[in-house]
């Protein structure tokens, strides 16, 4: 629709549909503004200069067109979407609203990236058919590696072409085409489970559950207390004969009791010592394993003896015979590919100019964002963005970078604290071109584009 724009008011983002003045007291207006509809965007209506403005709040939500841009939709995503469409239509029936006002274009279907809930836009005066845009979008974005998903999407596309877009029939297709787990996979999973049991059941790799690990100190404390109590009781029973005159039978009973209590105290004490020694052994192993493995800490090189019978070292110009001595070995390859690149090559200045990166410039901002692979989404919600920035002023899905013919563009993704280019704030969902030397600010994180 051409009469759609986006607007930000303090901490709220709105999608606004402008139309000619309508009847203020209509039934549809009352239903969508006074009721809190679970699967629909909250709506407010304002009348300005003979025009009716519908304000739909889209804060902290992303439309489908942006969310699945570059991310294929699998079988589960498709089923999840149509289940929400079915619930939205049922909700419209409960409020006696015409389902024709439900906008099913991808740019008007919004998704909460954290809860994965879908929210729909209801516009009472929508006059166009909204099924084909969604069907075409699904054909483009479906995961073509999944045959079941592709088959379903083309069936849905045919139904939209024939104007038979019936949600109940579409959900029935999901029930019919539910992918089955091959028998080989089940057998493999069973074998993996048995291997896991053997692995964890061995002596060297025996593991306690997380709950047992948490309660281990409590058990040891209880064992220590019981050991001390038994020792004190044994001493008391044994020493009672020095304070009172006992018969032969009572003396025998006190002797046997003190022996039993002494054995119990000794057993508990041995149990306590063995567990403490075992825990110390595990702590030493953990410290040895994790030493120098902290996030972001570079690992220093260490010298290790080179075996006398080791093979010759290979390099670009030939081979060097192995000799006894030491060799420096790095314990972590930060490049990730493990290849050897040979002699250092001089990098021309012209090559540097072709790099597309955002460099953090303000204090505490050590992030560098590589824009070589686009599209690229930036935010703090791991799993839903390509680059994670851990900062409280960054939204879960904050901004998106894309490449077009003119160059690289940045789009604000309904962020709370905004996206700024050279000090000017972008409107929600606004897309602008960025050039070399531009300053971009996401929340309080400032970057320079080079």
């Amino acid at each position: 629709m051409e009469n759609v724009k986006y607007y930000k008011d303090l901490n709220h983002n709105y999608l606004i549909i402008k139309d000619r003045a309508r009847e203020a007291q209509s039934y549809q207006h009352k239903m969508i503004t006074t009721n809190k509809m679970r699967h629909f965007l909250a709506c407010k209506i304002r009348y300005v200069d003979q025009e009716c403005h519908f304000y739909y709040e889209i804060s902290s939500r992303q439309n489908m067109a942006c969310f699945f841009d570059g991310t294929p939709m699998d079988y589960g995503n498709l089923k999840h979407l149509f289940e929400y469409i079915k619930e939205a239509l049922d909700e419209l029936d409960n409020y006696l609203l015409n389902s024709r006002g439900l906008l099913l274009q991808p740019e008007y279907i919004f998704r909460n990236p954290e809860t994965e809930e879908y929210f729909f836009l209801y516009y009472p005066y929508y006059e166009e058919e909204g099924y084909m845009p969604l069907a075409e979008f699904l054909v483009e974005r479906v995961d073509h590696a999944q045959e079941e998903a592709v088959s379903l999407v083309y069936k849905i596309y045919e139904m939209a072409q024939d104007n038979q877009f019936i949600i109940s029939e579409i959900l029935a297709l999901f029930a019919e085409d539910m992918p089955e787990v091959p028998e080989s996979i089940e057998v493999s999973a069973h074998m993996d489970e048995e291997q896991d049991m053997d692995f964890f059941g061995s002596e060297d790799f025996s593991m306690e559950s997380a709950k047992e690990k948490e309660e281990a100190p409590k058990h040891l404390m209880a064992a220590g207390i019981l050991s001390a109590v038994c020792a004190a009781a044994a001493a008391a029973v044994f020493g009672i004969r020095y304070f009172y005159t006992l018969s032969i039978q009572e003396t025998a009973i006190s002797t046997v009791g003190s022996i039993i209590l002494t054995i119990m105290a000794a057993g508990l004490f041995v149990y306590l010592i063995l567990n403490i020694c075992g825990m110390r052994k595990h702590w030493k192993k953990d410290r040895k394993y994790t030493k120098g493995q902290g996030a972001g800490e570079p690992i220093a090189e260490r010298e290790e003896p080179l075996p006398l019978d080791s093979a010759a070292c290979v390099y670009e110009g030939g081979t060097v015979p192995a000799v006894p001595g030491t060799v420096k070995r790095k314990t972590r390859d930060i490049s990730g590919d493990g290849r050897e690149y040979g002699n250092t090559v001089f990098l021309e200045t012209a090559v540097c100019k072709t790099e597309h990166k955002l460099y953090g410039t303000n204090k505490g901002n050590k992030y560098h964002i590589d824009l070589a692979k686009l599209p690229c989404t930036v935010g703090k919600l791991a799993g839903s963005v390509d680059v994670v920035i851990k900062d409280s002023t960054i939204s879960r899905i904050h901004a998106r970078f894309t490449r077009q013919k003119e160059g690289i563009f940045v789009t604000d993704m309904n962020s709370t604290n905004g996206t700024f280019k050279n000090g000017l704030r972008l409107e929600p969902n606004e897309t602008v071109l960025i050039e070399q030397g531009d300053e971009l600010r996401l929340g309080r994180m400032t970057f320079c584009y080079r």
Side-chain angles (χ1 to χ4, degrees):
M1 292 187 294
E2 298 180 355
N3 55 345
V4 174
K5 66 177 184 179
Y6 296 89
Y7 172 72
K8 183 174 184 63
D9 179 17
L10 297 177
N11 294 330
H12 300 278
N13 297 335
Y14 295 97
L15 182 151
I16 303 175
I17 299 179
K18 183 174 62 175
D19 198 357
R20 66 181 185 274
R22 302 283 186 172
E23 183 182 353
Q25 301 299 323
S26 68
Y27 176 79
Q28 292 90 344
H29 287 203
K30 289 183 179 180
M31 289 297 101
I32 63 177
T33 56
T34 59
N35 293 297
K36 188 175 182 180
M37 303 174 70
R38 179 184 174 189
H39 298 294
F40 290 86
L41 299 171
C43 178
K44 296 179 181 179
I45 300 178
R46 299 176 182 175
Y47 296 88
V48 180
D49 297 333
Q50 303 297 320
E51 290 180 338
C52 181
H53 297 255
F54 292 81
Y55 283 73
Y56 298 92
E57 185 170 357
I58 58 174
S59 304
S60 302
R61 300 179 178 96
Q62 307 297 327
N63 66 58
M64 272 186 59
C66 292
F67 191 88
F68 289 105
D69 185 13
T71 303
M73 297 186 68
D74 58 17
Y75 189 93
N77 295 139
L78 294 170
K79 184 177 180 181
H80 189 61
L81 170 63
F82 282 99
E83 286 175 345
Y84 268 90
I85 294 177
K86 176 65 167 58
E87 293 179 6
L89 290 172
D90 291 342
E91 195 169 11
L92 291 179
D93 290 339
N94 293 336
Y95 287 98
L96 302 179
L97 293 172
N98 191 343
S99 61
R100 192 177 182 84
L102 176 65
L103 274 65
L104 290 180
Q105 290 95 327
E107 59 268 27
Y108 303 130
I109 299 176
F110 288 82
R111 192 174 191 263
N112 187 319
E114 189 171 12
T115 63
E116 299 184 354
E117 293 179 279
Y118 283 97
F119 296 89
F120 301 91
L121 188 152
Y122 185 82
Y123 178 54
Y125 310 109
Y126 185 61
E127 298 177 353
E128 302 175 8
E129 186 64 42
Y131 301 147
M132 280 305 297
L134 178 60
E136 292 172 353
F137 175 84
L138 296 179
V139 170
E140 293 176 0
R141 305 298 168 87
V142 67
D143 187 355
H144 293 277
Q146 292 187 352
E147 295 182 3
E148 297 86 357
V150 174
S151 175
L152 275 170
V153 164
Y154 278 100
K155 290 179 182 178
I156 294 171
Y157 183 82
E158 293 175 357
M159 294 175 67
Q161 277 187 322
D162 298 337
N163 292 326
Q164 296 179 351
F165 198 85
I166 303 173
I167 298 298
S168 58
E169 295 185 4
I170 293 176
L171 291 176
L173 293 177
F174 282 94
E176 293 174 1
D177 297 338
M178 181 67 68
E180 298 180 356
V181 179
E183 184 179 354
S184 59
I185 296 179
E186 293 180 354
V187 173
S188 175
H190 181 67
M191 293 176 63
D192 292 341
E193 184 179 355
E194 291 181 352
Q195 292 176 357
D196 291 342
M197 291 177 64
D198 293 339
F199 176 81
F200 290 108
S202 63
E203 182 179 357
D204 294 335
F205 296 95
S206 60
M207 299 177 65
E208 297 177 345
S209 64
K211 185 176 180 180
E212 290 175 346
K213 288 183 177 180
E214 293 177 359
E215 295 180 354
K218 297 180 180 179
H219 293 163
L220 296 181
M221 184 181 297
I225 294 173
L226 286 175
S227 177
V229 170
C230 289
V237 172
F238 185 78
I240 195 172
R241 67 186 65 187
Y242 295 102
F243 299 96
Y244 298 96
T245 302
L246 302 177
S247 64
I248 296 175
Q249 185 179 3
E250 290 174 342
T251 302
I253 293 174
S254 65
T255 302
V256 173
S258 62
I259 292 173
I260 293 173
L261 290 171
T262 302
I263 293 174
M264 292 176 60
L268 290 169
F269 183 75
V270 171
Y271 172 80
L272 178 65
I273 295 300
L274 291 177
N275 277 272
I276 291 176
C277 292
M279 291 176 64
R280 290 187 62 185
K281 184 178 180 181
H282 286 297
W283 289 339
K284 288 181 179 179
K285 286 184 178 180
D286 292 341
R287 285 196 299 175
K288 182 179 179 181
Y289 178 77
T290 58
K291 186 177 181 181
Q293 300 289 332
E297 292 184 9
I299 295 183
E301 298 178 350
R302 69 174 186 269
E303 291 189 353
E304 294 183 356
L306 183 67
L308 295 176
D309 59 346
S310 62
C313 300
V314 181
Y315 74 108
E316 270 188 292
T319 60
V320 178
V323 295
T326 59
V327 62
K328 290 184 177 180
R329 181 181 299 169
K330 291 186 177 180
T331 58
R332 181 184 297 172
D333 180 8
I334 61 174
S335 65
D337 53 14
R339 293 182 294 174
E340 187 174 338
Y341 292 92
N343 298 329
T344 304
V345 178
F346 177 74
L347 184 63
E348 297 180 0
T349 307
V351 177
C352 295
K353 290 183 179 179
T354 60
E355 275 191 286
H356 299 285
K357 287 188 177 181
L358 294 176
Y359 292 89
T361 58
N362 56 330
K363 185 178 180 181
N365 184 4
K366 298 180 180 180
Y367 292 94
H368 297 335
I369 302 175
D370 189 0
L371 300 181
K373 296 182 180 180
L374 296 177
C376 175
T377 308
V378 179
K380 66 181 178 184
L381 183 60
S384 297
V385 296
D386 301 306
V387 178
V388 178
I389 299 180
K390 297 180 180 179
D391 186 83
S392 58
T393 63
I394 299 293
S395 295
R396 291 171 295 182
I397 299 181
H398 196 105
R400 186 174 182 82
F401 295 89
T402 55
R403 188 187 303 276
Q404 301 179 17
K405 293 182 180 180
E406 298 83 357
I408 295 179
F409 288 77
V410 60
T411 303
D412 179 78
M413 305 290 284
N414 297 333
S415 61
T416 301
N417 293 307
T419 302
F420 296 78
K421 174 191 171 183
N422 296 329
L424 298 178
R425 182 168 188 159
L426 277 63
E427 293 293 334
N429 284 342
E430 182 181 359
T431 302
V432 296
L433 175 69
I434 59 175
E435 299 176 348
Q436 296 284 338
D438 282 347
E439 181 187 81
L440 294 179
R441 180 159 64 87
L442 312 178
R444 62 184 172 194
M445 311 296 281
T446 304
F447 300 88
C448 180
Y449 174 54
R450 300 176 187 174

